[in-house]
Amino acid sequence: MLTRKWIGINTAVMICFGSAIAAPAVSAETSLEDEQQQVQSERSEVQADIDAKQAEIEEVLAELEQLNEQIKRVEQAIKDNEQKITDTKTEIKQTKEDIEKLEAEIAELQETMEKRFDILKERAKTLQKNGGTVSYMEVILGSKNFGDFIDRVTLVSKVMDSDADLLEQHEADKEKLETKRQDMDDKLADLNDMKTELEGMQAQILEQKEQNDQLKEELKEKEQATRDEKASLQEKDQQLASEEQQIKEDIEKQETQIQAMSIEQSRDNASSFGRSSAASSAPKATGASGNVSTVISAGYKYIGNSVYVFGGGRTASDVANGRFDCSGFVSWAFSQAGVSVPASTGALTGAGSKVSAGNMKPGDLVFFDTYKKDGHVGIYIGGGNFIGSQSSTGVAVANMTSGYWKNHFKGHVVRVMN
């Protein structure tokens, strides 16, 4: 440094020419003090930056803690949703078994009905050969005596009763067959619904896993960046502290040299040379409506602090821990304004009156065709945005005028509150 060179020159001159150099030596000492003050000032600024950075680090650490909590919620949601998939697969398997039983029962019932129908056809043929109902009368009227008459009447009555029983059983079995077929159709429809739901759950599980990986990566990056910044500031502070200590030692040496030279050298020689030296070499110093607003704003506290869980938002524990699915969140948000709406997407489609997308306003329900028609629902908040519990983010505000949500919005809007 230039200042350090002036210090070296002044020191050499003072050693050679005596105490007359005291004035420039003092000037050099003053320059050291100025440099010391400059380093101290710079170090103060760095330490202030360190304090500010420490505050930022504490904010980052708090955010990292929140990220850790969010990761835990996502991991728990993945476990819960995977369990839901397992349960759904079990239901599908049971439904298939029920359908197989129904098919066996229907086949057995059809076989019984066909056999009974064959008996009735044979009796009908016999009746036709005997002249229809007249044959029964001929059997009765052809009796030889009263006893024979009674026997024939009794026999004919039994035959007619038997035919009536067969017909009654046939009609009952026919009705039973139709009921079983309807049950089978219902179970098949349920099976298809469960398969559709399963496909949707599997797709959203993948989204949640991707979200979890992304959160973990962000966590690592922020943690490393925080460590690097803190280490850099500490290193700079140590360098300044070392430089400050060196300047302090130089000042002490300079003071010792000045005191020694003032005793040993002649005042006259020092005065003569001191004037020219001082003149030539001295260095210089350096320097919405209330109810609708309640519905919309209710979920803001969960933004960045919630997770998507199938069936979530329907218990106090889920609400306390920010665990919602899309329809559960909508139902809970409206309940905060004292408005009761269903907690299933299908039921919400009929919870109010349909309005056109061009006339929708804050507080309206907006539906999206995701893994199925009306597979997702949220609350419109204006400006082309809606709030809802998304599988990839938990409760969040999303834009429905571009990207994914625009592509899946088909204009289905329902107004619950006027």
Side-chain angles (χ1 to χ4, degrees):
M1 295 177 65
L2 181 60
T3 304
R4 295 296 176 84
K5 290 181 179 178
W6 281 113
I7 294 170
I9 292 171
N10 286 329
T11 301
V13 170
M14 284 186 289
I15 293 173
C16 295
F17 297 101
S19 59
I21 307 300
V26 171
S27 178
E29 182 181 354
T30 302
S31 297
L32 281 173
E33 291 176 348
D34 290 343
E35 186 176 355
Q36 183 183 35
Q37 290 177 355
Q38 183 179 351
V39 172
Q40 288 174 339
S41 176
E42 185 177 354
R43 189 181 179 194
S44 295
E45 292 177 1
V46 171
Q47 288 176 339
D49 290 341
I50 290 176
D51 292 339
K53 185 57 64 177
Q54 182 61 36
E56 291 180 16
I57 290 174
E58 291 175 359
E59 290 180 2
V60 170
L61 291 175
E63 185 177 353
L64 293 179
E65 185 176 354
Q66 290 180 351
L67 282 175
N68 274 323
E69 291 299 321
Q70 180 71 356
I71 287 174
K72 290 179 182 178
R73 284 192 290 267
V74 172
E75 289 176 345
Q76 185 59 48
I78 289 174
K79 290 180 181 178
D80 294 345
N81 292 336
E82 286 177 341
Q83 183 60 48
K84 181 67 174 179
I85 288 177
T86 300
D87 294 342
T88 302
K89 287 181 177 178
T90 301
E91 291 180 23
I92 289 174
K93 181 180 179 181
Q94 183 61 49
T95 301
K96 287 182 178 179
E97 293 175 355
D98 292 343
I99 289 174
E100 290 175 358
K101 290 180 181 178
L102 278 174
E103 288 175 341
E105 292 176 4
I106 288 173
E108 183 179 354
L109 189 56
Q110 284 178 328
E111 183 179 357
T112 300
M113 291 176 65
E114 287 173 1
K115 288 180 179 179
R116 187 183 297 114
F117 186 64
D118 289 341
I119 294 174
L120 289 172
K121 283 196 298 184
E122 289 300 322
R123 291 194 177 183
K125 289 179 182 178
T126 302
L127 180 61
Q128 185 177 10
K129 289 178 181 179
N130 292 330
T133 56
V134 178
S135 63
Y136 285 107
M137 294 301 297
E138 288 176 351
V139 170
I140 295 172
L141 296 176
S143 56
K144 297 177 181 180
N145 51 49
F146 185 74
D148 187 25
F149 174 78
I150 295 300
D151 291 339
R152 290 185 178 220
V153 169
T154 301
L155 178 62
V156 169
S157 177
K158 288 181 178 181
V159 171
M160 293 181 68
D161 289 342
S162 177
D163 288 347
D165 289 342
L166 284 174
L167 287 170
E168 184 177 350
Q169 290 177 11
H170 190 76
E171 290 300 322
D173 287 347
K174 182 179 179 182
E175 183 178 353
K176 184 177 179 181
L177 177 63
E178 292 301 323
T179 299
K180 287 184 177 292
R181 279 178 174 166
Q182 184 61 50
D183 289 343
M184 186 173 70
D185 290 341
D186 292 342
K187 285 187 176 292
L188 283 170
D190 291 341
L191 181 61
N192 289 330
D193 288 343
M194 282 190 286
K195 285 182 178 179
T196 301
E197 189 75 14
L198 179 61
E199 291 170 357
M201 284 189 288
Q202 288 172 330
Q204 290 175 344
I205 280 291
L206 292 177
E207 288 184 10
Q208 287 183 314
K209 286 183 176 179
E210 289 176 2
Q211 177 198 11
N212 202 17
D213 293 340
Q214 182 180 353
L215 286 175
K216 287 181 178 179
E217 188 62 30
E218 290 176 2
L219 179 62
K220 291 178 181 178
E221 290 177 359
K222 285 191 175 184
E223 184 178 7
Q224 188 59 48
T226 302
R227 291 177 182 274
D228 292 345
E229 289 175 357
K230 186 175 181 180
S232 178
L233 286 170
Q234 289 175 334
E235 182 179 356
K236 187 173 183 180
D237 184 57
Q238 289 173 356
Q239 289 174 350
L240 289 172
S242 177
E243 187 173 349
E244 183 181 5
Q245 180 62 31
Q246 184 61 50
I247 292 173
K248 183 179 179 181
E249 292 176 0
D250 289 344
I251 290 175
E252 291 175 351
K253 288 179 181 178
Q254 188 72 28
E255 289 176 347
T256 301
Q257 289 171 354
I258 291 173
Q259 291 174 359
M261 285 187 294
S262 64
I263 296 172
E264 295 175 0
Q265 302 299 324
S266 167
R267 178 176 299 176
D268 293 338
N269 290 338
S271 177
S272 175
F273 183 82
R275 283 191 296 271
S276 61
S277 177
S280 62
S281 63
K284 297 180 180 179
T286 59
S289 70
N291 284 342
V292 170
S293 176
T294 299
V295 172
I296 292 174
S297 62
Y300 283 172
K301 66 180 179 180
Y302 288 112
I303 294 177
N305 189 33
S306 60
V307 68
Y308 184 97
V309 176
F310 285 103
R314 292 159 179 80
T315 66
S317 175
D318 279 350
V319 172
N321 289 281
R323 294 159 53 91
F324 297 95
D325 63 9
C326 62
S327 54
F329 171 76
V330 168
S331 179
W332 171 82
F334 274 89
S335 72
Q336 302 309 293
V339 179
S340 177
V341 297
S344 69
T345 308
L348 284 170
T349 60
S353 56
K354 291 186 178 180
V355 297
S356 66
N359 293 323
M360 65 181 173
K361 64 181 185 179
D364 289 346
L365 303 183
V366 286
F367 294 84
F368 302 87
D369 293 350
T370 52
Y371 66 93
K372 66 176 183 179
K373 181 176 175 58
D374 297 328
H376 187 73
V377 63
I379 304 170
Y380 185 66
I381 64 175
N385 297 313
F386 75 97
I387 187 171
S389 181
Q390 277 66 266
S391 61
S392 59
T393 61
V395 177
V397 172
N399 187 289
M400 55 190 288
T401 62
S402 64
Y404 178 86
W405 295 114
K406 178 183 179 181
N407 294 336
H408 290 78
F409 178 61
K410 306 303 179 183
H412 188 180
V413 182
V414 171
R415 181 162 298 162
V416 177
M417 300 172 64
N418 294 322

